[in-house]
Amino acid sequence: MIKQFNLQFIFTLMLLCLSFHVVAEALKVTIVKSSAEHKNVGEVELASATSSYSVIESQQFEEKHEDLAKLIEHETGVQVRSAGGQGSFSTVSLRGASSEQVMVYLDGMLLNQASGGAVDLSLIPLANVERIEIYRGTVPIELGNASMGGAVNIISKRSSADNMRLKVSLGSFGLQSYVFSSNTGDEKNNFLLSANSISSDNDFVILNDNGTPLNPSDDRYEPRYNNALLQKSLLTKWQYQFNQNHDVDTRFEYLDKKKQLPHRQNYPLAQASFDTSVYDFVTQLNNRSLVNGSMDVGLKIFTRRKDELFNDELIQIGYLSQKVNMNSKKNGSELFSSAKFDSAQLKYRVLFEDEAFEFEDMLNNRAYRDNNRRLLEQGIEYKQYLFNEDLIVNASLRNISVRDRIHAVLDVFGNQIDIGEKKYSESNSQLGAKYRFNAQSFVTVNFADYIRIPSFFELFGDLGYFRGSPDLLNESGFNSDIGYAYTWYKPGSWLHDARFYSGYFFNRVNNLIVRDYNSFGVGVSKNIADADVRGVEFDLKIYPGSFSVFFNTSIIQSVGSSDVLAYDGNSLPGQFEQDYNLYVSYEMQSWIFSMDWDVKKIMFYDRANLLQAPDVSNLNFSILKSWKSSSVEFSVKNSLDKAFMDFQYQPAPGISYYLTYNLKI
Amino acid sequence: MKIYFLLLAVLLVSACSNDVSHQAVVDVDVVVATRAPDYSSGAYSVINELAANSFMATNELAPTSSDVFVAAYGAHYYFFNKTDASVTKYSYTDATTPVWQFSVNDAADTGANPYAMIFVNETKAYILRYGKATAWIVNPSATIESDFKTGELDLTAYDDGDGIPEMANGIIVGNKLFITMQRLDRNNFWSHTNIVYVAVFDVTTDQEIDTNYPGDAVMGIPMEIINPNTDIAYDAVLNKVFVQGQGDYFGGNYTGGIESIDPDTYNTLLELDDGDQITHDYGFISGLAISSATRGYFVSYVGWGDNYLYTYNPATGAIQLSTVTAVQGINIASIAFDANGRLWVADATNATVHIIDAVNDTLIDSVSTVLSPINMAFAQ
């Protein structure tokens, strides 16, 4: 059934994209090929940013079979956890922060939901991505509602030079991935249409220990059951240039994902599923060079709707029959302005968001509505350039005001949940500096304090099994880091290019929110822990001859402190203490041979540090052959066929093979 | 020089707290199932009585996922993982080396969710499987998995419409096995709307005994209390089986209490009514332990993390708040008497087990388990 829909969708989209391109080509008057990427006002100016950051450009992945989670985990200080298989739930952690503390943005719009939980990276198709910016530690003022965990900002595909692109990937476990995109434009307009579909059976072989890890006699190898994926997305963008200084950029994106959920013990008759659909609309008006060319102003309006359907009617992965529909709707607007003076820059941002969350129990025809969060955030940054711009100092201040409201509802047991309204306001500050010693090297230092506002779930509970904790304090944190970077560029030399970065960070988090349960399984959120997280990062990229060699490592030490004896003095769960990434590629004429090796050591699944995850040694190979307008890549993932498990009881696939054909016209 | 080393050794031993982790453990007296407060992991602790009323614990043994409990019989104890539906047998003389580990799911099945193990003797026991409609008859002395399960008790007649009767606990009195069944509706968020039954089986034939309740379509005993979720006890002097019922504490309906069953006539008597929404002196009754006709305790659930311990005289019904302040206003996970008549209280708030002299209702000792204690099992 999934494959049948997939093929129909693919052929429909092929036709759509082709038609779009043909029509657009016929209508345009002149063809203008823009070489510079269009940037909206309010996007981070990386050159003057003092934060520790990494950038991944689309050229690094657009010809390969990759997903967002696996792509970014090769970056310094980034760890990703996936529930196992293509399209599975995937979260990101930066510098030891929990995934709930990491803010993920799409074109500057926050994807983290007020209802709670981390952002699922599998809901962001890499085919629709132009660039990924990863900010570790401190977060630029351009990104709103920042938290102590850093930020990942995903920039959607940009309209560029006229082209059509087709990308087909086939691989192990029934993987089929199709991407079609069409770019076209004229003097005033740029259009982009991108559609993609990905499906996989995800029936990789696992070792089922039958729930008896100490008894190997009942173990068996079997395929992962009920783990299939079908995901489709459509991205349309239109950029209209009024004149040189005024333009509007509009994006509409739709995603539909159907994911089966495997049973913890791989029950073959499991039928549980989790389906998601997302609608995104963003439009931004950019006004540049106002007030004698010194000021840029951007106004953004956005809306996002996310519908999730969790179905476990047959009680196969949980303990009670559930079919629940969860909807969240977010509307908002943001104004960003940047003014440049002689040797200074002033930035101001104001963000308003209104987010509503609804929950519907479809088995018992009960609906619970009117969970609502309104947020107003203002941020201001002053940036001073000194000593011929060798020194950049920036200071910023954010203030966030939040009003949370839950209307009176009945819980599933018939108890009335009291009307809850909570208002609060917090400010946080940030100080950063970047000093350039010379054209090749610079040092950065950053200090910032942040908060994480508790989610609806943590504040108000759910419908009976998890109680609300309305007096919960915000998590608060202090981040600091210092880093040194050096670049070497000597074209014509054997070692023609090299980049080096080394840094140290120290973060303190207070009032960590942790779930506590009584003996009957009723839970409540509490502020019961603090933590110190410190670490070192090292990143080296060298380009000797036809080789590219990248190596990065991140060593993290986290120590929790708590009145709860079971947690006190322990490492924070869900983070590997050691992370090493090595990438080597060799380019020979039109061939690129590459390998990447990811090694991770020492992670505990649990806060009591009793359950240690298996260490990771993930070795991947790839061969890419390019022609003028096409390429073919063959890749082998997890070539050592190791058994990884980022989340307990959620095994990842073993060795797998992929073939990708990429055509650009 | 030898004296100095001896002195140093004595100093080191005396400086040790009563919480030692990860050393070789022998001569176990009490096993305590434990879990992390956030349910992210579980383990067990063993507590040794070094001298009269002086205890030492070894904690965080056999770490696993969190939904665990222990049972014991003879020289062995059994560590259950409810989520994995597994049971691991250990000897009290060696708490770190498992004798065996078996599944309590049928082949290619899942979701058994074991809740209790009730022993007839060394070669026969019953495992109550909350997630299924059948309980297993097992041989605890089996050495291979294929010999472990020897039969089943069929409780499908008590299905409340969601496929399972939610069998929760049991006790053997004479030749009879009494099994409590909650009969909650798992298709409606475990609502507490169905009559509770106690099924009675002959342990020599494994056949259900018809208790002959008039007008009842099933053979078991209908109860007045709702939600028997923890304890069942028997006193030979009074010749009564006492069943605890917590009532509908999610919905705030006081439909529980302590109800007794005459094991011969199967007549029931509501010994303690937990009251109603206006009057409920003892909150919800969430735990029960009885050591004699005149001595027992029960747990009063007033709110989340706010439980209280009361003394209870089963013969007279007299109730008094325990004088042990350490066990008041906390999350009491379970209570149980040991063979010496001392009451053990699992304090999940402070990750501690308290031992109480039930004669004087005074605190003997408190032992840290590091993780939150769930239930206790005693060497015999």
Side-chain angles (χ1 to χ4, degrees), chain A residues 211-215 263-265 315 319 321 361 364 366 413 415 465 515-518 520 522 567 606, chain B residues 35 37-39 41 65 83-84 86 101 110 145 186-190 229 246 249-251 301 304 331:
Chain A
T212 55
L214 304 179
N215 178 6
H263 187 273
R264 168 181 165 137
Q265 290 182 327
I315 321 175
Y319 285 116
S321 180
D361 169 14
N364 298 288
R366 283 188 288 234
F413 308 110
N415 297 316
Y465 286 100
R515 296 176 193 180
D516 193 5
Y517 291 88
N518 70 5
F520 300 108
V522 180
Y567 302 154
D606 63 314
Chain B
R35 61 166 177 90
D38 63 355
Y39 266 110
S41 53
S65 56
T83 313
D84 287 343
S86 69
Q101 183 181 67
T110 186
E145 192 161 13
R186 66 172 175 171
N187 290 331
N188 192 18
F189 294 94
W190 301 108
N229 60 347
Q246 192 164 357
Y249 72 97
F250 274 130
Y301 182 102
W304 196 99
N331 178 12

Side-chain angles (χ1 to χ4, degrees), chain B residues 303-326:
Chain B
W304 196 99
D306 192 21
N307 308 161
Y308 296 83
L309 185 70
Y310 285 83
T311 64
Y312 171 64
N313 185 324
T316 64
I319 294 169
Q320 200 167 356
L321 183 69
S322 170
T323 59
V324 180
T325 55

Side-chain angles (χ1 to χ4, degrees), chain A residues 436-645:
Chain A
R436 186 171 294 280
F437 299 105
N438 47 46
Q440 292 158 309
S441 63
F442 62 85
V443 64
T444 60
V445 60
N446 293 281
F447 304 95
D449 63 285
Y450 291 108
I451 61 161
R452 181 181 78 81
I453 304 167
S455 66
F456 281 147
F457 178 78
E458 290 164 339
L459 286 170
F460 302 115
D462 66 0
L463 301 168
Y465 286 100
F466 203 89
R467 293 158 48 107
S469 190
D471 295 329
L472 210 56
L473 301 173
N474 299 328
E475 291 184 343
S476 60
F478 171 77
N479 291 0
S480 62
D481 65 46
I482 182 167
Y484 171 76
Y486 180 85
T487 59
W488 163 281
Y489 186 60
K490 279 205 171 174
S493 166
W494 177 77
L495 184 62
H496 53 83
D497 197 348
R499 291 161 223 176
F500 164 82
Y501 170 83
S502 178
Y504 170 81
F505 66 88
F506 172 76
N507 300 335
R508 169 161 289 159
V509 189
N510 296 318
N511 300 319
L512 280 171
I513 297 173
V514 180
R515 296 176 193 180
D516 193 5
Y517 291 88
N518 70 5
S519 51
F520 300 108
V522 180
V524 68
S525 293
K526 291 182 177 178
N527 301 109
I528 56 175
D530 303 324
D532 285 346
V533 184
R534 48 176 61 85
V536 293
E537 294 170 342
F538 176 83
D539 190 344
L540 176 67
K541 292 182 171 65
I542 59 173
Y543 301 86
S546 299
F547 283 91
S548 299
V549 181
F550 305 159
F551 174 74
N552 70 67
T553 181
S554 173
I555 311 293
I556 297 173
Q557 181 194 43
S558 63
V559 181
S561 63
S562 175
D563 291 337
V564 178
L565 186 57
Y567 302 154
D568 191 40
N570 290 350
S571 300
L572 296 178
Q575 336 282 339
F576 281 97
E577 292 183 8
Q578 301 172 33
D579 186 8
Y580 308 92
N581 292 279
L582 174 66
Y583 170 85
V584 179
S585 74
Y586 176 71
E587 196 166 335
M588 181 176 73
Q589 296 176 348
S590 60
W591 294 83
I592 300 176
F593 304 88
S594 62
M595 73 125 230
D596 67 82
W597 192 16
D598 185 20
V599 174
K600 296 193 184 77
K601 292 179 177 294
I602 310 175
M603 178 181 86
F604 293 98
Y605 291 122
D606 63 314
R607 200 168 289 272
N609 285 183
L610 297 177
L611 305 176
Q612 186 167 348
D615 291 343
V616 171
S617 178
N618 191 359
L619 183 60
N620 307 313
F621 294 97
S622 161
I623 301 173
L624 181 76
K625 165 67 179 168
S626 300
W627 293 271
K628 186 178 176 186
S629 57
S630 64
S631 67
V632 171
E633 187 217 24
F634 173 72
S635 61
V636 181
K637 308 280 186 188
N638 191 8
S639 62
L640 301 176
D641 201 22
K642 296 284 190 180
F644 308 131
M645 209 149 49

Side-chain angles (χ1 to χ4, degrees), chain A residues 371-388:
Chain A
N371 291 358
N372 177 264
R373 172 168 285 177
R374 279 203 183 148
L375 177 153
L376 177 69
E377 186 190 14
Q378 297 184 78
I380 186 166
E381 177 184 272
Y382 178 76
K383 194 182 289 277
Q384 181 70 53
Y385 299 85
L386 300 163
F387 308 122
N388 290 325

Side-chain angles (χ1 to χ4, degrees), chain B residues 35 41 89 132 154 211 225 231 302 364:
Chain B
R35 61 166 177 90
S41 53
K89 180 178 179 179
K132 298 294 173 186
D154 186 358
T211 61
I225 58 171
D231 299 307
V302 174
I364 296 171

Side-chain angles (χ1 to χ4, degrees), chain B residues 114-168:
Chain B
Y115 254 48
M117 187 172 187
I118 304 127
F119 294 82
V120 179
N121 51 45
E122 287 282 355
T123 58
K124 185 174 185 179
Y126 301 92
I127 292 180
L128 302 187
R129 307 189 309 152
Y130 190 91
K132 298 294 173 186
T134 58
W136 274 14
I137 308 168
V138 298
N139 175 7
S141 296
T143 55
I144 57 174
E145 192 161 13
S146 55
D147 292 341
F148 181 58
K149 177 187 174 185
T150 60
E152 289 186 341
L153 303 180
D154 186 358
L155 293 167
T156 48
Y158 299 94
D159 171 15
D160 53 284
D162 60 4
I164 55 175
E166 290 88 17
M167 60 187 87

Side-chain angles (χ1 to χ4, degrees), chain B residues 213-284:
Chain B
Y213 263 79
D216 235 301
V218 294
M219 291 193 272
I221 305 165
M223 303 289 284
E224 198 170 331
I225 58 171
I226 296 291
N227 194 16
N229 60 347
T230 55
D231 299 307
I232 185 169
Y234 173 72
D235 178 72
V237 170
L238 298 173
N239 193 32
K240 287 182 178 179
V241 173
F242 293 87
V243 180
Q244 161 270 344
Q246 192 164 357
D248 181 14
Y249 72 97
F250 274 130
N253 299 309
Y254 292 84
T255 51
I258 300 172
E259 191 168 357
S260 66
I261 303 172
D262 184 318
D264 300 320
T265 66
Y266 311 118
N267 292 330
T268 64
L269 177 66
L270 186 61
E271 303 277 352
L272 174 64
D273 187 339
D274 64 355
D276 55 36
Q277 291 202 324
I278 297 171
T279 306
H280 40 265
D281 293 340
Y282 310 110
F284 298 102

